[in-house]
Amino acid sequence: MRILLLPGPSKTATTHVQSFISENAAFFHENGWLWPPCPHSLGHASSGGFANFLKAVIGEDCDAQTCISPRDPCTSKYVEGDAASVRSFYKKVLSDASDASAGGTDVVIGAEHFSAVGGPLGPRIFEGLREILPFDGRLMPEKAEEGDGLETVVVVRFPRAAQLRSIFSQHASVPKGRPILFDGSFAEWLCSYFSMSRITPNPLRLAAAFLDEGVKVTVVEMGAVGRDIADSIACEVMGLPCSMGMVDGIAGDRGRHNVRNNSTMGTDGYFDEALENILEAMDCFYYDAFVKNVQSNGNNIKIVHQYRLFKNNCEGVFPIDQETAYAAMKNLGCGFNANKSVKKVTTVSKSLSEADSSLQTTLIAYLVVGNIFVLGLMLKSFKSRTSCRVQGMIFPSRSR
């Protein structure tokens, strides 16, 4: 039995994929995939029906004040039952689905709030999943056939900065009946709000958290799919019958639910280029771990439609962890907000003489934007006299 969890992360067409599956739930069920019902209900959940599922998994009750998606028809079912009863309900649903004597079926659940697996809640989430899944306290059967157990699809959106701007747009818009989350510019949001928000644009940390638990991960590069990403997941991951990259039996027209043009960027190219460089360096932090995982257990991770992710095998890019990357983005936003512009970074040649002559200009440029992290790396590079040019930024050479 396969149990496929779709955690996003946020702003990677999660609502669209959930709507695609829920609106065609009967078709998916006929083809061996169950989109489960709301708690204590029959049929199939709505597209946002699992928005509060995470609370039940970690043992938190859902009330009218704290439940998300109050307009979703499934939310009232979470409010009416406590966390224990919701967990018991889904434990039975999954157990029944795994019953081979009753025909057996695979299960798919879409809830972007499970992207919290990549953060401090991760251990609690996995503990709760072990209790609910029908694998005797494990994330997969003790004697699993190939493909059995929990698995996940993690989506990486390019340009990477476009995901950040979409998260900001959601925070800066006025939801119906709810107060605006942030009133200010994108740079001000990066400077003062982003680091405090619980939404993360770090899909590879999310993927790594699942891999650490032995969960099979498929990484999909959203911008390189070349067709509807919902079809890509249904055809290439779930194995539904497809022709020309589209699911057979579902009408060709695809309703685009909450999907922005994934090439949308800001009006200041230098600002977004600096963000792309920071996010690329954060992505490359996970490169070695992913490569080693593929080498040791190639069945546990797959990257489909790879184009810009880990470009050139991250050669010439100095990898940074999430904490450092978030600090760099905050400094970038604070500096931009203070100066209202970002100066183009002088391209630094590998030639030491050219590096010497351009260093002062480059340092001033990054002082203006407040990117203290990159400034520190540049000083380290200059001191060691070993540097590489990466899209106008200077990083220490990376040896393998």
Side-chain angles (χ1 to χ4, degrees):
M1 176 193 187
R2 297 171 66 189
I3 299 178
L4 178 62
L5 185 62
L6 306 176
S10 178
K11 298 306 173 187
T12 58
T14 49
T15 301
H16 169 58
V17 173
Q18 291 164 14
S19 296
F20 180 79
I21 298 174
S22 66
E23 291 169 9
N24 298 286
F27 176 86
F28 276 84
H29 203 175
E30 291 171 2
N31 285 273
W33 282 95
L34 172 66
W35 180 261
C38 301
H40 309 293
S41 305
L42 300 175
H44 305 286
S46 54
S47 61
F50 299 103
N52 296 295
F53 184 46
L54 175 63
K55 292 179 71 68
V57 168
I58 62 176
E60 292 184 0
D61 292 340
C62 192
D63 57 55
Q65 284 71 44
T66 61
C67 272
I68 27 187
S69 303
R71 295 180 300 279
D72 187 90
C74 283
T75 298
S76 62
K77 301 295 184 179
Y78 283 92
V79 175
E80 293 166 6
D82 59 19
S85 68
V86 173
R87 281 156 63 121
S88 295
F89 173 80
Y90 281 112
K91 185 172 184 177
K92 185 177 187 309
V93 168
L94 295 176
S95 178
D96 290 346
S98 69
D99 187 355
S101 64
T105 187
D106 298 321
V107 175
V108 55
I109 294 174
E112 68 183 46
H113 296 94
F114 275 85
S115 61
V117 160
L121 279 178
R124 289 179 62 189
I125 295 172
F126 285 120
E127 180 183 357
L129 287 173
R130 288 186 178 93
E131 180 181 325
I132 294 173
L133 299 183
F135 305 132
D136 298 322
R138 293 181 291 271
L139 299 177
M140 51 271 307
E142 185 175 7
K143 296 181 179 179
E145 299 293 333
E146 185 174 355
D148 282 353
L150 180 66
E151 60 183 281
T152 187
V153 173
V154 175
V155 180
V156 183
R157 177 177 173 177
F158 281 88
R160 297 287 279 109
Q163 182 188 7
L164 274 175
R165 287 194 175 274
S166 288
I167 297 172
F168 161 71
S169 295
Q170 183 177 37
H171 288 179
S173 63
V174 183
K176 293 180 181 179
R178 286 181 287 171
I180 190 171
L181 292 176
F182 184 81
D183 185 12
S185 68
F186 178 55
E188 291 170 332
W189 178 78
L190 281 176
C191 178
S192 61
Y193 187 85
F194 166 71
S195 61
M196 296 185 297
S197 70
R198 292 163 59 180
I199 298 177
T200 170
N202 191 356
L204 299 185
R205 179 171 177 172
L206 171 60
F210 280 107
L211 287 172
D212 287 344
E213 294 290 334
V215 175
K216 181 179 178 180
V217 176
T218 299
V219 177
V220 180
E221 186 174 325
M222 182 175 170
V225 169
R227 58 181 177 275
D228 194 290
I229 191 169
D231 280 301
S232 177
I233 292 173
C235 297
E236 298 176 86
V237 180
M238 301 172 73
L240 267 67
C242 298
S243 300
M244 304 296 291
M246 298 179 66
V247 178
D248 293 335
I250 297 180
D253 292 337
R254 298 290 186 254
R256 304 296 290 174
H257 298 267
N258 196 32
V259 181
R260 292 184 172 87
N261 181 346
N262 66 31
S263 64
T264 300
M265 296 289 278
T267 56
D268 194 310
Y270 300 142
F271 187 90
D272 281 334
E273 183 180 353
L275 280 178
E276 285 294 304
N277 282 322
I278 294 169
L279 291 166
E280 179 188 17
M282 184 176 72
D283 288 345
C284 285
F285 179 80
Y286 300 92
Y287 176 80
D288 286 337
F290 274 46
V291 169
K292 289 177 181 176
N293 195 291
V294 170
Q295 291 172 344
S296 61
N297 187 2
N299 294 327
N300 230 31
I301 180 171
K302 178 172 66 174
I303 303 177
V304 296
H305 303 291
Q306 184 178 4
Y307 178 62
R308 297 175 65 175
L309 180 63
F310 300 144
K311 190 174 182 180
N312 298 324
N313 297 325
C314 289
E315 289 295 342
V317 177
F318 186 85
I320 59 175
D321 61 18
Q322 177 176 290
E323 181 180 2
T324 305
Y326 282 18
M329 289 188 286
K330 177 178 180 178
N331 288 333
L332 182 67
C334 293
F336 183 88
N337 184 48
N339 297 280
K340 305 302 180 184
S341 65
V342 177
K343 296 184 181 297
K344 186 175 182 180
V345 180
T346 303
T347 297
V348 182
S349 169
K350 289 183 179 179
S351 165
L352 289 179
S353 60
E354 291 181 13
D356 287 344
S357 64
S358 66
L359 181 61
Q360 183 177 3
T361 304
T362 310
L363 293 178
I364 291 173
Y366 269 105
L367 280 170
V368 169
V369 300
N371 197 334
I372 305 302
F373 157 69
V374 178
L375 174 61
L377 286 181
M378 291 165 58
L379 287 171
K380 181 178 179 181
S381 298
F382 181 66
K383 183 177 180 180
S384 65
R385 298 292 182 174
T386 308
S387 63
C388 294
R389 183 179 64 81
V390 182
Q391 297 181 348
M393 298 176 71
I394 183 170
F395 292 106
S397 291
R398 186 181 184 195
S399 59
R400 294 198 180 280

